[in-house]
Structures are given as structure tokens and as C-alpha cells.
Amino acid sequence: MNQRTDRLKGYLQRLLQDRGAKLWPILPQRQAIIQRLLDILTDDAYLQAQPPLAPTQYTLTLPPAQADLLRQNSHLLDVLATAIHRAGNDIGLRFSILPRVMLDTSSDLPPQGFRLEARLWEPKHLQSVPIDPSINILPPSAYLIINGTQVFSLEKPVLHIGRRPDNDLLLDDPRISRLHAQLRANRGRFMLFDLDSTGGTFVNNQRIRATMLYPGDVIVMAGISLVYGQRATRPLESPAPPTTVTDTGNLTTTMTLRRPISEGPNDT
């Protein structure tokens, strides 16, 4: 093991222990699980790929008694998924969709046994726009106006919207799904993808699964209105629907992108 990997693992171990503090007391094999996560996130197959994409689906298999206990506290799976997301971001990994942790059980495992498998996964309809810097080109000065009062700047090529705390745009409303929707830059425009949300995603009163966004489009998620804007114009061959131009001059930016913390392991 080289020095850089040692530092990465030490940093990730501290982070995972801290971020998953509410989860670990009910799992006696926590150190072994953390070690397995460290091995996954520092695998050269992910770190040295271009772009460096991390696994997005993690399946944790536990003995029946522990699996039942964790099912009674299923919110802790989101705690672990959020810790994985933070840890991966901090060492330069990217996620094509926010990571999720699935729970499985096996009576073949000993009392402190477990299996943890990880794979790259995303819904099929997102695969129409690959994660690729040559494709994920940001439109100029794109933004969302939230409920007519707040401006949210769209400054990353992939942005997540939902109720889980690690979403880029956090909408803390019980009607919003934990992982509700994703914006993905596609050659100078944004596409909006619904992530099989419970309440659905609507654009200009039409329920969508995937759609290109144009200035003035009105997105509604569980009663929350988001108006999309940018400096680009609609192609001439695509007639624009009637829209109301919103004056953003008097609005205040009250929401900002969530970014990884700047501290972390050095490369030296």
C-alpha cells in the first residue's frame, strides 16, 4: 500500500466513523464494514478512471437479527449513504447519481458476518446523457427561481434535487422524495430527469421522466415551483411556449450549491 492510499484511508475512516456515528452502535462488525468501504472507495479502478466515477449502489447483507434491527431504523441507511457520498466527494470521486444503500439478509452468515457489494448504477433514462466532460457542458448563467422568491445558481454539470440532506438543492418538504430529480448538463443545456419520485416531476403542467429545459420552463415538484432561466435562447426550429419573463433584479440569492469541504488528504 502506498503512502497516498494510507492517508486516504485514514482520512476516510475518520470521516465515515464520524458521519455514521448513529449507525455504528447497532452493528458489531462496524470496523470491518468501514474497512470494506475504504477498500471500495480507494480502488484504483475508480480513482484513476476518467472521469473518476464512484459506485452508486451498495448492498449490505447482514444476519437476520441485525437486518431486522436495521429495518426498524431504516433511516440509518440514508445516514450511511450520505457518509459515502461525502467521503467520495472529498477524495475527488464523482457520483452519476446520489449513492444509495440497499439492505439484504442471509441466514448463512455468522452472527458478526456481513457482505458489502458495490456497483456503478443509474436509472436507464439517465444514460442518454453520459457523465463525460466533453458532453456535460454547462449553459451560461443558468438558475432556478424557487417559489418566486429565491434564486439558486446552477454551477455544476450534475445537480440533485430532493429531501435527503446531501442533495445540491435541498427541498425539505415531506412530499418531496429523498432522491427526487436530477439536472444534467447536455452540450450547453440542462436536461431534467425524474428519479422515480413518489409525487412526480412536472414541466409546464406535463409529468416528465426526462426533458430538455428551456428558459421560462416552469417545474413543479410537490407544489414547489421552480422557474428555469439562462442566457441561452431556444433553437429557432423549436417554438417556445408562452412564458412570463421574470425580473430577477430584485431577487436575492438565498440558496447556494453544496460543495465538498476544502480540507482533506494532501497529494504530497
Side-chain angles (χ1 to χ4, degrees):
M1 188 182 300
N2 60 45
Q3 250 185 350
R4 182 174 184 274
T5 302
D6 270 342
R7 286 198 300 274
L8 283 176
K9 287 194 172 185
Y11 172 69
L12 292 178
Q13 183 169 16
R14 292 191 298 274
L15 180 61
L16 288 169
Q17 285 176 331
D18 178 54
R19 304 289 285 192
K22 295 179 180 178
L23 169 66
W24 303 129
I26 68 174
L27 295 176
Q29 62 276 69
R30 56 186 175 275
Q31 289 301 330
I33 293 175
I34 289 174
Q35 184 59 51
R36 172 66 178 143
L37 284 170
L38 298 181
D39 292 340
I40 291 170
L41 293 174
T42 56
D43 190 322
D44 283 345
Y46 303 123
L47 287 173
Q48 295 182 8
Q50 293 299 324
L53 290 175
T56 52
Q57 183 168 292
Y58 299 77
T59 302
L60 177 61
T61 305
L62 295 171
Q66 290 179 14
D68 289 345
L69 181 59
L70 195 47
R71 283 194 187 95
Q72 296 169 27
N73 297 272
S74 59
H75 66 283
L76 294 177
L77 294 175
D78 274 351
V79 170
L80 181 55
T82 302
I84 291 169
H85 185 205
R86 174 68 175 270
N89 273 340
D90 281 6
I91 62 172
L93 291 171
R94 296 173 61 186
F95 294 84
S96 61
I97 189 170
L98 293 188
R100 61 179 187 170
V101 178
M102 318 293 288
L103 181 63
D104 200 359
T105 184
S106 173
S107 57
D108 296 334
L109 289 171
Q112 295 195 19
F114 77 96
R115 288 193 297 270
L116 180 60
E117 299 171 349
R119 68 185 182 106
L120 293 167
W121 175 88
E122 62 181 1
K124 286 185 178 179
H125 61 295
L126 269 70
Q127 296 171 17
S128 61
V129 183
I131 299 295
D132 182 336
S134 67
I135 294 173
N136 308 138
I137 300 168
L138 282 167
S141 302
Y143 56 87
L144 293 172
I145 301 175
I146 304 167
N147 284 335
T149 61
Q150 300 168 317
V151 178
F152 181 80
S153 297
L154 305 178
E155 300 171 0
K156 297 199 303 185
V158 177
L159 299 110
H160 291 90
I161 302 172
R163 201 177 75 246
R164 210 171 81 178
D166 55 334
N167 279 279
D168 299 287
L169 176 53
L170 174 62
L171 299 178
D172 191 11
D173 185 302
R175 299 169 296 172
I176 295 288
S177 293
R178 300 187 333 275
L179 309 181
H180 197 106
Q182 184 189 102
L183 286 162
R184 189 174 289 195
N186 182 15
R187 297 179 174 88
R189 293 196 178 278
F190 266 117
M191 284 196 70
L192 176 65
F193 298 90
D194 182 77
L195 300 179
D196 297 323
S197 63
T198 301
T201 299
F202 296 79
V203 176
N204 301 328
N205 297 319
Q206 298 294 317
R207 187 165 185 165
I208 64 96
R209 186 169 173 81
T211 190
M212 190 76 76
L213 289 177
Y214 295 96
D217 281 348
V218 179
I219 305 161
V220 176
M221 301 177 188
I224 297 174
S225 172
L226 311 168
V227 177
Y228 176 75
Q230 65 175 78
R231 288 194 198 137
T233 58
R234 183 185 297 269
L236 293 177
E237 65 272 16
S238 302
T243 59
T244 300
V245 177
T246 304
D247 180 8
T248 62
N250 295 323
L251 299 180
T252 303
T253 301
T254 59
M255 294 188 177
T256 57
L257 291 178
R258 299 177 182 274
R259 306 178 191 278
I261 60 172
S262 59
E263 64 188 29
N266 299 320
D267 291 329
T268 57

